[in-house]
Amino acid sequence: MRTSQYLLSTLKETPAHAEVISHQLMLRAGLVRNVASGLYTWLPTGLRVLKKVENIVREEMEKAGAIETLMPMVQPADLWQESGRWEDYGPELCRLQDRHERPFVLGPTHEEVITALLRNEVSSYKQLPLNLFQIQTKFRDEIRPRFGVMRGREFLMKDAYSFHITDECLKETYQVMFDAYCRIFERLGLDFRPVVADNGSIGGEGSHEFHVLADSGEDDIVFSDTSDYAANIEKAEALAPAGERPTATQDLAEVATPNAKTIEEVAALLNVDAKQTVKTLLVLGHAEEGQQAPVIALVLRGDHQLNDIKAENLAQIASPLTFASDEQIKAAAGCEAGSIGPIGLSIDVIVDRSAAHLADFVCGANKDGYHYTGANWDRDFTNYTVADIRNVVEGDPSPCGQGNIVIKRGIEVGHIFQLGEKYASAMNLGVLTEAGKNQTLTMGCYGIGVSRIVAAAIEQNHDKYGIKWPKAIAPFQAAIVPMNMAKSARVKETAEKLYQDLKAAGIDVLFDDRKERPGVMFADHELIGTPTLLVIGERNLDEQMIEVKDRISGEKSLIAIDNVLDLFA
Amino acid sequence: MRTSQYLLSTLKETPAHAEVISHQLMLRAGLVRNVASGLYTWLPTGLRVLKKVENIVREEMEKAGAIETLMPMVQPADLWQESGRWEDYGPELCRLQDRHERPFVLGPTHEEVITALLRNEVSSYKQLPLNLFQIQTKFRDEIRPRFGVMRGREFLMKDAYSFHITDECLKETYQVMFDAYCRIFERLGLDFRPVVADNGSIGGEGSHEFHVLADSGEDDIVFSDTSDYAANIEKAEALAPAGERPTATQDLAEVATPNAKTIEEVAALLNVDAKQTVKTLLVLGHAEEGQQAPVIALVLRGDHQLNDIKAENLAQIASPLTFASDEQIKAAAGCEAGSIGPIGLSIDVIVDRSAAHLADFVCGANKDGYHYTGANWDRDFTNYTVADIRNVVEGDPSPCGQGNIVIKRGIEVGHIFQLGEKYASAMNLGVLTEAGKNQTLTMGCYGIGVSRIVAAAIEQNHDKYGIKWPKAIAPFQAAIVPMNMAKSARVKETAEKLYQDLKAAGIDVLFDDRKERPGVMFADHELIGTPTLLVIGERNLDEQMIEVKDRISGEKSLIAIDNVLDLFA
């Protein structure tokens, strides 16, 4: 490709509205352009990267035995009504009507369409297992699209769905997909980690997320400093503190804490460590028919954070997690939010394992402006249950039993999931078994955010000059940068010949034939992140040499023109 | 690919709702499945064909210097308001609202998005010309989707848009695209024809359609039996008949024609050839502001058909062409539709060239149940204009001046178009010229119906057993069909080895390892249309031979196993 016949579209200035580095660099390097909120056009340079990612994903899915299909983006509403998600999905599901006023959705995912397909195509156990995938455009109507293609509304995704008679068969395919995902992210050249993820009602290790590690990641990934353990923070278990709970030594005393409403304020006022306090949060349980939802108290150590997912997964708590209103708090505790405590409450109380291990702690007195000191479980309050409802923190013992927890930031780029019978059961997908009886199928689903990977790769691989692409997904493998070509016939001839030779060898090369100053050209190529720059200048041509500049290491070296192809061997 | 691990999904019965052969065969051969009206899932076998078509299109577009991009399917309404198509497009444009009730459309085409993109990306003549393409999913809300993917609602299209300072430059790129399209359809292995198409207001030969020839095609394609001339019937010019108009020999006479309303009935009653009669159609002209649209008469020879596009392109006629209502006819002609004629009308009259060449003709008398015989132009009626407003018919002289017209059926699979300044002007897309002044760009657009090609290829290439794919787009290049593999270890070993060898050589091969009778296997492969069947049976293995069956010719031959790879050289 010649720059003069290409749409390079690099920008010198960082667009003000781009918050994260990948969005800034994708705009500056001419990878994407915004069309409307969360909608992007992929410019030629960006599309080259996207296609390379897509091809690696496709190759590894095929190697793993998955078969490619293509389902429509516009899906009939009746399938979503059948699965129950027409009601459950919420406003991220974009609903529309066709000219005959029939309802449709823009597919954010394809469980319904593929389950309906299989229902007609398979009838016997002999046709299974099957693993079908597609690489296709999805739409999710995010309430606040941001970070460029990282959280766009229209995006490219690889989604796969597998179908099985038995859970054992599902687990086998799940492992095959796990391994394929590892190979995909290795081939992409990314520092990634598969982590155990929450699996809702199914439980077990039936779900893994794949994260690209980057300081700017939105998700907290929990590692052991000793073992291979890695989990999403939503999922990482906080173990109960070791040993017996200390014995009570203080008497319960009500103290005035005027104007102290947060844990920090109360701890400062009473001169105790936040670790010696508890906070009490009121949330809603399941409403019986025709009744108000009951209010339930969650008690955490003052320095810990509630883990919404763990709380939601408790049988008593309604999902999605909903906090009690000010009125509900007043009715249940007789005070405002800043003064709630377990002692004296007559509602269900669930205490986090760490909070339950405290003795002589501080808690709210259920009376505005007052707290208790010297509170002790079982002596001052008896009717409670203990559960793991907090986020782990660095230094916690790892739930794997080895070492302590370290937390890093990650960007979720893949998710594999043992769905079980959820869709097959709702949509009546079964086959005849060998024994001749009808058997509902069990399913797995396996997603990769293809367009998101492009942004994640940049978050992980950049410097102040621009993008530092892993070689496998760089838009161009090399750029030819001639110095003052207009003034030197020899430079021009050498550059032209090298361009033809590299093209003939199948190298993705960008020939910068613009009439620009060398500084402008170098800045563009460093911004775009081309791994190898081939600099042709008069100075080195007497020795038939050209300069090679490596984008990752920054190193420069001279190489004989005749040996340039060896760089790409 | 092993059949046992694949989703073959062939059907024995032809689904009743499939009207055309390509739709029937695409369902029976397991290429697509219907999800909702006009929405299809591409099964693995169909997607293989679609991808092969897509790859050939992409390669030739790149060779022709076009650069690939990818625009979103969901487009903001404001761009369509800016171009004026938000009002003009009609109900095929699917409109939707996002969660914030902002209006969007599902893109049926991308002129607006790319014009808005270029407006921001190019500012100087130095950046031009540019030709950008994408291969992307489109949505058109057809009122009656039918014929499977031939006229679906969601479909895959290659659309390209070129941008130029001058018309000369546009014409050059247009020719490059014309040549690229010819190479694409040649490589696809299809019998196709580029034909001159109507270009609306721009005129000239600024538009060509590419048709796959097939008896079942929806469009009439006009050829010369002598020259290369080919045009869409909408566009093919009907020349004025040669020579002078015959001299009038009869007197004008009013004759009663009770109950004779059609040309056939009138001609039969009066015992004249329909060629000696004219029919008069009343349509609407342009309404002045606040006034009713004027009624205009179109006069054609009785045996000729009105060409709507030619009529619409006349300055006096409103677009889209609208016929006068019964009330408007009564008011303008004083009679019903069956008795209208030019003589005595006081509205504008436009006479087709062939009708204007008649002498002593029959026409309506503008009086119910009466016609004139012996009518003659200029003698009986003077105030008229002559224009080409009819469809050509077989045997007409070719407008190229050589030979006579032959008409064949075609399926439109491509369309290239010199757009001119329409979008650039409406959306203010210009650059600075070398002379430093702002210049509105001129554009070309170039479409190929990628998914439609799959259906068109089948319409052109099939027999009673199934599809006969051109080799370049067959889902598999070959199928290995072992005879009674379960009973013969030698057959099984040979088949397995051949499968591995062909895969290693990069051949797309389907290994039919099902436990099915040979008849079932052959029927499936003939239906799917695999070009080469490799039949492995005990009988020939003593001589280390296998049978090769060619799907196109139907010929069978024996080949040494060691030479099988030569078939694909």
Side-chain angles (χ1 to χ4, degrees):
Chain A
M1 186 61 66
R2 291 168 190 272
T3 314
S4 63
Q5 295 166 12
Y6 188 69
L7 189 63
L8 206 60
S9 282
T10 53
L11 305 176
K12 285 202 186 64
E13 304 298 327
T14 299
H17 65 281
E19 297 171 62
V20 296
I21 190 72
S22 61
H23 191 195
Q24 292 168 4
L25 287 173
M26 288 185 79
L27 292 170
R28 285 192 55 214
L31 271 52
V32 295
R33 286 295 180 263
N34 191 237
V35 176
S37 176
L39 301 174
Y40 291 86
T41 286
W42 289 79
L43 294 179
T45 308
L47 186 60
R48 285 176 160 261
V49 179
L50 190 69
K51 288 273 174 196
K52 288 184 182 188
V53 175
E54 179 184 330
N55 286 339
I56 288 173
V57 171
R58 176 176 289 113
E59 282 177 21
E60 292 299 332
M61 289 304 290
E62 287 180 347
K63 275 191 213 162
I67 312 171
E68 190 169 1
T69 62
L70 182 62
M71 291 176 264
M73 182 164 172
V74 176
Q75 306 178 2
D78 55 2
L79 294 179
W80 288 72
Q81 283 154 355
E82 212 181 325
S83 74
R85 291 207 289 183
W86 178 255
E87 268 78 41
D88 295 349
Y89 207 96
E92 282 184 18
L93 181 65
C94 181
R95 295 143 208 258
L96 65 147
Q97 291 197 322
D98 73 0
R99 64 194 289 165
H100 305 297
E101 295 184 0
R102 285 177 300 220
F104 288 82
V105 307
L106 291 186
T109 173
H110 280 71
E111 281 84 0
E112 283 81 1
V113 175
I114 199 140
T115 302
L117 175 75
L118 268 278
R119 182 163 65 179
N120 290 320
E121 302 304 324
V122 300
S123 55
S124 159
Y125 71 96
K126 292 181 195 169
Q127 296 170 277
L128 299 176
L130 267 177
N131 188 2
L132 299 171
F133 79 100
Q134 63 174 351
I135 298 177
Q136 192 257 9
T137 302
K138 302 271 184 290
F139 192 90
R140 278 188 203 154
D141 203 356
E142 295 274 353
I143 189 162
R144 195 159 80 88
R146 55 187 174 149
F147 306 156
V149 300
M150 188 89 87
R151 181 157 295 185
R153 297 202 282 180
E154 188 172 323
F155 54 97
L156 191 64
M157 187 165 165
K158 187 283 297 174
D159 45 333
Y161 306 90
S162 70
F163 299 87
H164 315 266
I165 310 260
T166 66
D167 284 341
E168 291 66 44
C169 182
L170 166 59
K171 282 187 208 306
E172 273 172 38
T173 297
Y174 185 83
Q175 185 61 43
V176 168
M177 283 294 101
F178 184 96
D179 296 340
Y181 272 45
C182 289
R183 281 197 305 277
I184 286 167
F185 293 109
E186 278 160 20
R187 281 186 61 187
L188 291 171
L190 298 174
D191 185 11
F192 75 99
R193 211 58 67 90
V195 306
V196 176
D198 180 64
N199 199 11
S201 55
I202 295 175
E205 297 214 342
S207 177
H208 285 85
E209 293 168 358
F210 287 76
H211 283 261
V212 167
L213 300 183
D215 294 339
S216 56
E218 277 194 292
D219 291 328
D220 281 322
I221 310 301
V222 175
F223 297 91
S224 160
D225 60 7
T226 307
S227 79
D228 280 346
Y229 177 82
N232 187 310
I233 197 159
E234 292 172 347
K235 176 73 179 176
E237 185 181 1
L239 299 179
E244 292 289 301
R245 187 169 70 203
T247 312
T249 63
Q250 299 177 7
D251 290 334
L252 186 68
E254 190 181 281
V255 295
T257 49
N259 301 323
K261 289 184 173 169
T262 67
I263 287 293
E264 290 68 32
E265 289 162 356
V266 172
L269 185 73
L270 301 179
N271 195 25
V272 296
D273 193 315
K275 291 179 180 173
Q276 205 55 38
T277 70
V278 303
K279 57 186 167 193
T280 304
L281 308 169
L282 301 190
V283 300
L284 301 187
H286 301 286
E288 306 251 336
E289 195 164 331
Q291 308 235 321
Q292 298 258 326
V295 173
I296 295 172
L298 303 177
V299 182
L300 293 141
R301 218 172 70 182
D303 61 325
H304 284 154
Q305 297 299 321
L306 178 67
N307 181 312
D308 291 8
I309 301 290
K310 290 178 180 176
E312 263 176 26
N313 285 347
L314 294 178
Q316 304 99 306
I317 311 284
S319 173
L321 189 70
T322 310
F323 286 93
S325 65
D326 288 346
E327 292 71 36
Q328 289 168 320
I329 291 173
K330 192 80 188 172
C335 64
E336 291 183 7
S339 298
I340 318 171
I343 299 170
L345 285 184
S346 57
I347 57 177
D348 280 358
V349 174
I350 300 169
V351 183
D352 181 66
R353 290 167 172 174
S354 293
H357 197 259
L358 292 177
D360 300 334
F361 58 86
V362 172
C363 63
N366 295 323
K367 184 170 156 192
D368 286 332
Y370 288 88
H371 279 72
Y372 286 123
T373 61
N376 280 280
W377 299 112
D378 301 327
R379 184 193 73 185
D380 304 322
F381 184 72
T382 51
N383 196 12
Y384 64 97
T385 56
V386 177
D388 171 20
I389 55 173
R390 72 167 170 100
N391 283 335
V392 294
V393 293
E394 290 215 335
D396 277 349
S398 173
C400 69
Q402 296 174 56
N404 294 314
I405 278 173
V406 176
I407 295 179
K408 293 188 184 175
R409 308 289 281 177
I411 301 165
E412 187 190 338
V413 287
H415 196 165
I416 60 177
F417 204 90
Q418 294 177 28
L419 281 174
E421 298 186 1
K422 176 178 159 97
Y423 294 93
S425 172
M427 298 180 70
N428 198 21
L429 168 59
V431 298
L432 284 182
T433 61
E434 197 162 5
K437 74 179 226 298
N438 195 58
Q439 164 81 50
T440 300
L441 298 189
T442 183
M443 288 170 59
C445 72
Y446 316 95
I448 287 184
V450 177
S451 41
R452 183 175 244 224
I453 283 174
V454 178
I458 296 172
E459 289 290 338
Q460 189 180 76
N461 301 279
H462 65 271
D463 62 15
K464 63 180 172 178
Y465 304 109
I467 306 167
K468 298 168 82 167
W469 290 114
K471 284 192 176 175
I473 57 174
F476 296 97
Q477 294 170 269
I480 297 172
V481 189
M483 301 286 98
N484 298 310
M485 190 164 72
K487 291 184 186 156
S488 165
R490 195 163 63 151
V491 167
K492 187 172 189 332
E493 275 163 32
T494 307
E496 287 280 355
K497 180 166 185 313
L498 186 61
Y499 176 56
Q500 298 302 339
D501 290 350
L502 289 174
K503 270 210 307 182
I507 311 297
D508 256 349
V509 59
L510 182 64
F511 175 17
D512 200 340
D513 62 347
R514 292 176 295 175
K515 286 176 193 155
E516 287 284 6
R517 285 179 297 111
V520 170
M521 293 158 88
F522 283 122
D524 271 348
H525 296 297
E526 289 186 327
L527 176 60
I528 293 170
T530 309
T532 303
L533 297 194
L534 304 168
V535 186
I536 302 177
E538 267 292 335
R539 209 171 38 171
N540 299 314
L541 283 185
D542 289 336
E543 284 82 42
Q544 288 290 301
M545 305 284 268
I546 65 171
E547 190 181 278
V548 178
K549 190 167 174 192
D550 186 291
R551 177 68 180 94
I552 305 294
S553 68
E555 282 170 18
K556 297 177 186 178
S557 56
L558 289 176
I559 187 172
I561 292 173
D562 291 345
N563 297 338
V564 169
L565 272 177
D566 300 346
L567 291 171
F568 306 98
Chain B
M1 186 61 68
R2 290 169 190 272
T3 313
S4 63
Q5 295 166 12
Y6 188 68
L7 189 63
L8 206 60
S9 282
T10 52
L11 305 175
K12 284 201 188 64
E13 305 296 327
T14 300
H17 64 281
E19 298 171 62
V20 295
I21 189 72
S22 61
H23 190 195
Q24 292 168 4
L25 287 173
M26 288 185 78
L27 293 170
R28 285 191 55 213
L31 302 185
V32 295
R33 286 294 180 264
N34 190 238
V35 176
S37 176
L39 301 174
Y40 291 86
T41 286
W42 289 79
L43 294 178
T45 308
L47 186 60
R48 285 176 161 261
V49 180
L50 190 69
K51 288 273 174 196
K52 288 184 182 189
V53 175
E54 180 183 329
N55 286 339
I56 288 173
V57 171
R58 175 176 290 114
E59 282 177 22
E60 293 299 331
M61 289 303 291
E62 287 179 347
K63 274 190 212 162
I67 311 170
E68 190 169 0
T69 62
L70 182 61
M71 291 175 264
M73 183 164 172
V74 176
Q75 306 178 2
D78 55 2
L79 294 179
W80 288 72
Q81 284 154 353
E82 211 181 325
S83 75
R85 290 209 289 185
W86 178 255
E87 268 78 41
D88 294 349
Y89 206 96
E92 282 185 17
L93 181 65
C94 181
R95 295 143 208 258
L96 64 147
Q97 290 197 323
D98 72 1
R99 65 194 290 166
H100 306 296
E101 294 183 359
R102 285 176 301 219
F104 288 83
V105 307
L106 292 186
T109 174
H110 281 71
E111 281 84 1
E112 283 81 0
V113 175
I114 199 140
T115 302
L117 174 76
L118 268 278
R119 183 163 64 179
N120 290 320
E121 302 304 323
V122 300
S123 55
S124 158
Y125 71 97
K126 292 181 195 170
Q127 297 170 276
L128 299 175
L130 266 178
N131 188 3
L132 299 170
F133 79 100
Q134 63 175 351
I135 298 177
Q136 191 257 11
T137 302
K138 302 270 184 288
F139 193 90
R140 277 187 204 156
D141 202 356
E142 295 274 353
I143 189 162
R144 194 159 79 89
R146 55 187 174 148
F147 307 154
V149 300
M150 188 89 87
R151 181 156 296 185
R153 296 201 283 180
E154 188 173 323
F155 54 97
L156 191 64
M157 188 165 166
K158 186 283 296 174
D159 46 333
Y161 306 89
S162 70
F163 300 86
H164 315 267
I165 310 262
T166 65
D167 284 340
E168 291 65 44
C169 183
L170 167 59
K171 282 186 207 308
E172 274 171 37
T173 296
Y174 185 84
Q175 185 61 44
V176 168
M177 284 294 101
F178 184 97
D179 296 341
Y181 272 46
C182 290
R183 280 197 305 277
I184 286 167
F185 294 110
E186 277 160 21
R187 281 187 61 187
L188 291 171
L190 299 174
D191 184 11
F192 74 99
R193 210 58 67 90
V195 306
V196 176
D198 179 64
N199 200 11
S201 56
I202 294 176
E205 298 213 343
S207 177
H208 285 85
E209 293 168 359
F210 287 75
H211 284 260
V212 167
L213 300 183
D215 294 340
S216 57
E218 278 193 292
D219 291 328
D220 282 322
I221 310 300
V222 175
F223 297 91
S224 160
D225 60 7
T226 307
S227 79
D228 280 345
Y229 176 83
N232 187 310
I233 197 159
E234 291 172 348
K235 175 73 178 176
E237 186 182 0
L239 300 178
E244 293 289 300
R245 186 170 70 203
T247 313
T249 63
Q250 300 176 8
D251 290 335
L252 186 69
E254 191 182 283
V255 293
T257 49
N259 301 322
K261 290 184 173 167
T262 66
I263 288 292
E264 290 69 31
E265 288 162 355
V266 172
L269 184 74
L270 301 179
N271 196 25
V272 295
D273 193 318
K275 291 179 179 173
Q276 204 56 36
T277 69
V278 303
K279 56 186 168 193
T280 305
L281 308 168
L282 300 190
V283 301
L284 301 187
H286 301 285
E288 306 251 337
E289 196 163 332
Q291 309 235 321
Q292 298 257 325
V295 173
I296 295 171
L298 303 177
V299 182
L300 292 140
R301 218 170 71 182
D303 60 326
H304 284 153
Q305 298 299 323
L306 178 67
N307 182 311
D308 292 8
I309 301 291
K310 290 179 181 177
E312 263 176 26
N313 285 346
L314 294 177
Q316 304 100 306
I317 312 285
S319 173
L321 189 70
T322 309
F323 286 92
S325 66
D326 288 346
E327 291 72 36
Q328 287 168 320
I329 291 172
K330 192 82 189 172
C335 64
E336 290 182 8
S339 298
I340 319 169
I343 298 170
L345 284 183
S346 57
I347 56 177
D348 280 357
V349 174
I350 299 168
V351 183
D352 180 67
R353 289 168 173 173
S354 294
H357 198 259
L358 293 177
D360 301 334
F361 57 87
V362 172
C363 62
N366 296 322
K367 183 170 156 192
D368 287 332
Y370 289 86
H371 278 74
Y372 286 123
T373 61
N376 280 280
W377 299 112
D378 301 326
R379 185 193 73 186
D380 305 321
F381 185 73
T382 52
N383 196 12
Y384 63 96
T385 56
V386 176
D388 171 21
I389 54 172
R390 73 167 171 100
N391 285 334
V392 294
V393 293
E394 289 213 336
D396 276 349
S398 173
C400 67
Q402 297 174 57
N404 294 313
I405 278 173
V406 176
I407 295 179
K408 293 188 184 175
R409 308 289 283 177
I411 301 165
E412 186 189 339
V413 287
H415 196 164
I416 60 177
F417 204 91
Q418 294 177 28
L419 281 174
E421 298 186 2
K422 177 179 159 98
Y423 294 93
S425 172
M427 298 181 69
N428 199 20
L429 167 59
V431 298
L432 284 183
T433 61
E434 197 162 5
K437 74 181 227 296
N438 194 57
Q439 164 82 51
T440 301
L441 298 189
T442 183
M443 288 169 59
C445 72
Y446 317 94
I448 287 183
V450 177
S451 40
R452 184 174 242 224
I453 283 174
V454 178
I458 295 173
E459 290 290 338
Q460 189 180 76
N461 301 280
H462 65 272
D463 61 17
K464 63 179 172 178
Y465 303 110
I467 306 167
K468 297 169 83 168
W469 290 114
K471 284 192 177 176
I473 57 174
F476 296 98
Q477 294 170 271
I480 297 172
V481 189
M483 302 286 97
N484 299 310
M485 190 164 72
K487 291 184 187 158
S488 165
R490 196 163 61 151
V491 167
K492 186 171 191 331
E493 276 163 32
T494 307
E496 286 282 354
K497 180 168 185 311
L498 185 60
Y499 177 55
Q500 299 303 339
D501 290 350
L502 288 174
K503 270 211 307 183
I507 311 298
D508 256 349
V509 59
L510 181 63
F511 175 17
D512 200 341
D513 60 348
R514 291 177 296 174
K515 287 176 193 155
E516 287 284 5
R517 286 179 297 110
V520 171
M521 293 158 88
F522 283 122
D524 272 348
H525 297 297
E526 289 186 326
L527 176 59
I528 292 170
T530 309
T532 303
L533 296 194
L534 305 168
V535 186
I536 302 176
E538 267 293 334
R539 211 169 38 169
N540 299 314
L541 283 184
D542 288 336
E543 285 81 43
Q544 287 291 300
M545 305 284 269
I546 65 171
E547 190 181 276
V548 178
K549 190 168 174 191
D550 185 292
R551 177 70 180 93
I552 305 293
S553 69
E555 282 170 17
K556 297 177 187 178
S557 55
L558 289 176
I559 187 171
I561 292 172
D562 291 345
N563 296 340
V564 169
L565 272 178
D566 299 346
L567 292 171
F568 306 98

